[in-house]
Amino acid sequence: MSTKVVLIPGDGIGPEVAEAAQRVIDASGADIAWTVRHAGEAALAAGEKQLLPQSTLDLIAEYGVALKGPCTTPVGTGFRSVNVLLRKTLDLYAAVRPIRTMAGVHSRYENVDLVIVRENTEGLYAGIENEITKGVTTSIKVATEGASRRIADYAFRYCRERGRKKVSVFHKANIMKLTDGLFIRCAREVHDAHYQDIAYEEVIVDAACMKMVQDPTKFDVILAENLYGDIISDLCAGLVGGLGVTPGANIGEKGAVFEAVHGSAPDIAGKGVANPLALVMSGVMMLNWLSVRRSEPRFAECATRIRRAYDRALTEGATTRDLGGKLGTMEFADARVARL
Ligand code: NAI
């Protein structure tokens, strides 16, 4: 029987990369029954009253899995981020973002292979902002023991299950003594109690950024609260060739939403030039996740076939403009399909 997955095309380049990713995943033989649901500006354009319609949330909750294109969030004013709302409402508490150098993708580094595990539900993204008086604003950072322990446990478990060796916690507890102080205390306690076989270090986030740029191969699994995790995700994308090659997953106890790290890229939307690889790679993560969750090895086999196809296509130079190639979005997808 087909496996039901919600497909959210999203905004900007979202529909283009979503169509390409869907085409590649289908060509792998993964038997997925996609149901399209909208979120973001696309939801309003489709006649919905809300940016994150209840019907979209309900279907993700029912199927337990979605592949999502990016959604636009206006800067400074306007509506709250659909992404933040989605992750919070469905309690998708762990953002997992693998970062690795790939043959055929130009970057300044070699042998980068790290994973960011970002706390996805609190920190400054709690959205508690006030204008105290004209010209004076505040934003409240939230850190709870429950969420901090939960994400630490996820990061250490992830590290152990994948044979990785070290967890580095990025923090600013020298300044934010209570919130970041609690975050690292929880990580340390979870480590000491259950994961002493895994190496553990605490690194102040600004120094960590410098160290990453100097030598990213020193890092393995990075554990970070929400804002640091967001920022270093783009920094890390830059280490391995850009946002076109950086996939991601938002994982919770009851389900998962897979999406690339990049946004809706309004500067290139509608031109057919966006690189769909990050969403294809997110799809590969989804197939591997389905394989474990549903105990269906065939999904892992499809994931491996897709990975081999895009690795081969990259080394043969079949790629999009952002990676130095000439292919458009759908040509890029077709080049992968041809190698499947
Ligand atoms: P962005 O990631 O959309 O774009 C940054 C730069 O990278 C742009 O020059 C863009 O052309 C390029 N780029 C991004 N993805 C690409 C791809 N697949 N292929 C080729 N080039 C690519 O970041 P920006 O401009 O800060 O955000 C635009 C909108 O996206 C904002 O409204 C933001 O809130 C939203 N956003 C949504 C996310 C999500 O839905 N998960 C994540 C990040 C941003």
Side-chain angles (χ1 to χ4, degrees), residues 88-99:
K88 222 177 144 79
T89 312
L90 296 173
D91 200 22
L92 305 171
Y93 65 91
V96 180
R97 292 160 167 196
I99 309 282

Side-chain angles (χ1 to χ4, degrees), residues 13 17 68-74 83 87 243-244 259-268 273-276 322:
I13 60 169
V17 292
K68 173 183 166 295
C71 294
T72 298
T73 309
N83 307 308
R87 294 165 194 164
L243 287 164
E259 62 178 341
V261 171
H262 66 71
S264 54
D267 52 336
I268 55 167
V273 297
N275 183 351
D322 56 309

